[in-house]
Structures are given as C-alpha cells and as structure tokens.
Amino acid sequence: MNEHSRQMLRVVYALLLIGLLTGGLTALVGAVIAHLNAPEAGEPERSHYRFQYRTFWIGLLYYLIAGVTTLALIGWLLLVIIVIWWLVRCVRGLRDVGRDRPPANLTTWGF
C-alpha cells in the first residue's frame, strides 16, 4: 500500500468519525469517496473501502431502527451502542491501515 492510498483511507475514516458530530454529513461524503475509489483500488485498499461504505450503510440502518424505537425508550440505549459500534469499527480500520492489512471481519454487521 503506497502512502497516497494510505492517506486517502485515513481521510475517509476521519470523515466517518467526524460524521458523528455533523449529523452524518461528512460520513456521507466519506461513503461516496469509498464507493468511487473501491473499483480501481488494489488489495488491501479495496477491502478498506468496502468496510468503510458498509459501516456507513449498516450504521444508517441501525440509526433508523434506533430512531423509530426511541418512542419505546429502547432507542436511546441503541443510539449509544451504535455510536460505540461506529467508533470501534473506524478505530480498528485505522489501526489496520497503519499495519498495511485489510480490516478484520470485513462482512460482519458487528464489530
């Protein structure tokens, strides 16, 4: 993995993390970048891009479910769990970028 690829992956992970503070706007930008770069990327970059856009889309689904269930009060707990899930996935992805390896558990919906 060259330094330019590593930097682009770090930027997308940073956009995903900042998305927690911007209501998801920067996370959406990061997901678009990941979708656009994935087809022409080599390994392990392609795996990271896939992991990044899967984090966005799965996280969006989880947030929608939590939003609906806030009326039953369980949604508030789910929102906290989702933020932790999002943070763990991004931090682990960044760690794996630094080690020049693909993300672990690429297709999981969990951590």
Side-chain angles (χ1 to χ4, degrees):
M1 184 180 326
N2 65 43
E3 189 57 34
H4 174 70
S5 298
R6 195 175 293 116
Q7 275 304 107
M8 184 55 72
L9 290 168
R10 287 182 181 134
V11 165
V12 175
Y13 279 118
L15 289 169
L16 290 172
L17 287 169
I18 296 168
L20 292 171
L21 303 173
T22 63
L25 183 61
T26 60
L28 176 62
V29 172
V32 168
I33 292 170
H35 273 290
L36 293 175
N37 287 332
E40 57 199 42
E43 285 298 328
E45 293 94 340
R46 183 179 301 124
S47 295
H48 277 283
Y49 287 129
R50 183 171 180 221
F51 188 74
Q52 291 167 336
Y53 65 70
R54 282 178 53 84
T55 297
F56 174 80
W57 290 113
I58 294 168
L60 180 62
L61 176 65
Y62 287 166
Y63 275 115
L64 291 173
I65 292 168
V68 169
T69 58
T70 54
L71 299 173
L73 300 180
I74 188 74
W76 298 106
L77 176 61
L78 290 176
L79 287 172
V80 171
I81 293 169
I82 294 164
V83 168
I84 293 168
W85 172 85
W86 191 280
L87 287 168
V88 168
R89 282 181 65 101
C90 290
V91 169
R92 289 176 76 191
L94 281 167
R95 180 197 64 197
D96 290 338
V97 167
R99 295 179 179 173
D100 286 334
R101 65 181 193 195
N105 303 324
L106 180 63
T107 58
T108 184
W109 283 49
F111 295 103

